[in-house]
Amino acid sequence: MTDTIHAGTVAHLRGDPFAGENTLEIIERGALAIDPSGRVALLGERDAVLDAFPESELVDHGDAWLIPGLIDAHLHFPQFYATAGFGNGLLDWLENTVYPAEARFADESFARAAAEQFIERLLTCGTTTAMVFGSQFYDANLALFEAAERSGIRLIAGMTLMDRNAPPMLLQTAEQSVDSIEKLIGLCRHAPRLHYAVTPRFALSCSPELLELCGSLLRSHPESYLQTHINETREEIAAVRTAFPQRRDYLDVYDSFGLITERTVLAHSIYTTEPEMDRMAETDCTVCHCPTSNSYLGSGLFPLRRHLRRGIRVAVGTDIGAGTQFSVWRELSETYKVQQLQDFCLNADQLLYLATLGGAKALGLESEAGNFEPGKSADFFVLDYEEDQYLAARLSRCENAVEQLFSLLQLADERHIASTYVHGHMAASRNGS
Ligand code: GUN
Ligand code: ZN
């Protein structure tokens, strides 16, 4: 088997632009050599890469951009059909839109069809790594993991756990859920791109017994992640205070059960207090910002700068279905706007970082994903806007490639993604080939 060379404008980050490092690399006549095992062999000027691998097969993407696969660090599989549902704030929306939609996933054939479409949609949007809240139903989660494995996407997911404050068919006690979770963890052990995440929905859905189970699962399976929600709305925070009056704050509810570690991903974190941030930094957990969701539900403005100043790792997520679209790329434009509203002006490097190398670091995957360093898995997508006359004209007015990247971050979307590759293989293409 030979190496494959993909030629185009290659863009990625070599380091953290929030740390003041100038690490954006854009190679306009660039190329990426991929070895037969699906890993990056070389990145450089097109001619140099072609010279280094004279026997290789060339895939010429013309002027299209090759960008590391996007990392969606927070979304919900059983909300695949719940996007754009009405809700007057988080708790009302959960009760009236989300829980009925999630109950449909009890039907295995319904869930199987949804799983295929869900994974396909992610890949079409350039997402090659996704951290996903699974269903409350074992068969639906199995369908999700199986669809992911077939496609090659990197999936971190787990069964959504709830044992109170929702319709009875969505509830399971700790005792009832443990076998299903163990089976799914076993499945992930044999699939290099599948990872299990222990997934208590949020403090309001979970009794102390259920949170206790989550802690014991993490202790017995230290390779697992933990994902949950935190400090999303004021109404939710007040309810958590009532439900757990003995705890210092929202974070402490999870922390007291051993759930806050460097493998924990907390979605939203809008109203996080100073002591909570201190503890987040100390435990080195990750926070996931979901701007579209936060605007849609009227939750609030995520204080990115405060998190970054503490050294808290931050990723970006679509939060389907409170988020209304599947594109992490579009979430970056929303991130930009939400930070503008707080006098924090992000540049192209910083935006791209959040969804690529920063996302990979946030999920502890930086040795495998996030940029085109040799040895990493060749996960990328091809952004081709030539057929969009307006976008092509707009970009032709840019002074340089960095300006072009910034405009692409604001104006491009999944319709401009020609194809997505996972581990060197094409997993989705606009033409369906
Ligand atoms: N908090 C608890 N469950 C959910 C959910 O499904 N979506 C969002 N956005 N927040 C939550
Ligand atoms: Zn969510």
Side-chain angles (χ1 to χ4, degrees):
M1 291 222 310
T2 59
D3 300 84
T4 308
I5 293 179
H6 290 266
T9 296
V10 185
H12 75 152
L13 285 131
R14 291 196 176 276
D16 179 357
F18 290 106
E21 298 167 21
N22 182 9
T23 57
L24 177 64
E25 183 173 41
I26 303 179
I27 309 175
E28 285 180 68
R29 277 182 55 81
L32 198 59
I34 299 171
D35 72 22
S37 78
R39 294 192 176 273
V40 177
L42 184 65
L43 163 73
E45 300 288 341
R46 177 190 170 115
D47 292 344
V49 176
L50 285 169
D51 283 352
F53 294 90
E55 305 286 299
S56 55
E57 182 196 335
L58 174 66
V59 184
D60 194 345
H61 298 282
D63 291 331
W65 289 54
L66 313 185
I67 296 172
L70 301 172
I71 296 178
D72 187 341
H74 183 78
L75 77 163
H76 297 252
F77 166 48
Q79 294 175 24
F80 184 54
Y81 303 114
T83 51
F86 183 78
N88 185 6
L90 170 68
L91 300 182
D92 175 67
W93 171 78
L94 284 175
E95 192 181 326
N96 294 309
T97 291
V98 170
Y99 295 153
E102 294 191 348
R104 302 278 324 261
F105 283 68
D107 176 342
E108 188 186 342
S109 59
F110 178 91
R112 283 206 169 267
E116 294 295 332
Q117 289 181 23
F118 179 80
I119 296 295
E120 188 187 315
R121 187 91 189 107
L122 292 177
L123 289 165
T124 307
C125 290
T127 297
T128 56
T129 297
M131 185 158 194
V132 176
F133 273 56
S135 168
Q136 292 81 352
F137 305 103
Y138 172 78
D139 289 333
N141 291 321
L142 190 60
L144 175 67
F145 278 118
E146 288 175 354
E149 194 176 16
R150 273 195 297 280
S151 76
I153 198 169
R154 187 180 291 100
L155 178 76
I156 307 169
M159 185 153 100
T160 293
L161 300 174
M162 331 168 57
D163 68 351
R164 60 183 183 183
N165 295 329
M169 76 173 294
L170 294 176
L171 306 181
Q172 280 193 66
T173 62
E175 205 182 347
Q176 286 164 335
S177 45
V178 74
D179 281 356
S180 303
I181 296 172
E182 292 284 358
K183 276 196 270 179
L184 294 170
I185 290 176
L187 183 137
C188 293
R189 211 168 278 136
H190 302 291
R193 287 178 73 104
L194 303 183
H195 305 270
Y196 196 79
V198 176
T199 308
R201 179 176 214 121
F202 68 155
L204 296 180
S205 306
C206 301
S207 68
E209 295 70 41
L210 192 55
L211 295 172
E212 190 64 61
L213 169 74
C214 295
S216 90
L217 284 166
L218 291 184
R219 285 189 294 280
S220 46
H221 303 287
E223 76 287 3
S224 296
Y225 290 83
L226 184 126
Q227 57 180 345
T228 189
H229 298 90
I230 197 162
N231 290 328
E232 184 176 0
T233 72
R234 292 201 172 92
E235 187 189 19
E236 168 210 18
I237 295 165
V240 170
R241 205 173 291 127
T242 307
F244 294 90
Q246 68 283 25
R247 304 277 46 118
R248 188 182 70 174
D249 48 42
Y250 201 154
L251 187 72
D252 192 43
V253 174
Y254 300 136
D255 205 13
S256 63
F257 292 97
L259 308 189
I260 305 298
T261 76
E262 75 286 348
R263 292 182 78 73
T264 298
V265 179
L266 300 168
H268 306 303
S269 192
I270 295 171
Y271 299 103
T272 299
T273 61
E274 296 296 310
E276 285 176 305
M277 282 205 200
D278 286 344
R279 184 65 187 145
M280 284 179 175
E282 202 171 80
T283 54
D284 195 21
C285 68
T286 280
V287 160
C288 183
H289 173 39
C290 307
T292 303
S293 159
N294 296 164
S295 302
Y296 187 73
L297 292 178
S299 305
L301 300 177
F302 173 66
L304 175 63
R305 191 164 31 192
R306 281 177 58 223
H307 285 81
L308 293 174
R309 275 194 188 136
R310 307 262 173 164
I312 297 166
R313 290 175 292 161
V314 177
V316 171
T318 58
D319 196 19
I320 292 296
T324 44
Q325 46 82 30
F326 280 78
S327 164
V328 178
W329 194 261
R330 285 208 249 164
E331 291 293 329
L332 295 178
S333 174
E334 297 307 308
T335 299
Y336 177 80
K337 293 169 198 160
V338 167
Q339 296 314 311
Q340 284 286 67
L341 289 170
Q342 300 172 87
D343 295 325
F344 188 25
C345 186
L346 301 174
N347 61 30
D349 318 25
Q350 292 166 329
L351 289 170
L352 185 61
Y353 176 78
L354 287 171
T356 57
L357 187 57
K361 285 186 178 169
L363 300 182
L365 293 169
E366 65 271 29
S367 63
E368 274 292 304
N371 64 10
F372 293 132
E373 257 168 43
K376 288 197 185 184
S377 185
D379 296 347
F380 63 99
F381 68 98
V382 179
L383 195 60
D384 181 1
Y385 53 84
E386 277 310 310
E387 286 173 17
D388 182 332
Q389 287 183 7
Y390 173 71
L391 195 51
R394 170 68 186 87
L395 262 77
S396 72
R397 266 90 181 158
C398 289
E399 294 278 316
N400 54 48
V402 178
E403 270 189 21
Q404 287 188 331
L405 176 61
F406 185 79
S407 295
L408 283 171
L409 282 160
Q410 303 298 345
L411 298 174
D413 61 39
E414 63 277 17
R415 289 168 294 190
H416 303 106
I417 295 183
S419 48
T420 302
Y421 290 76
V422 288
H423 212 59
H425 297 283
M426 191 161 76
S429 105
R430 195 158 54 188
N431 309 326
S433 56

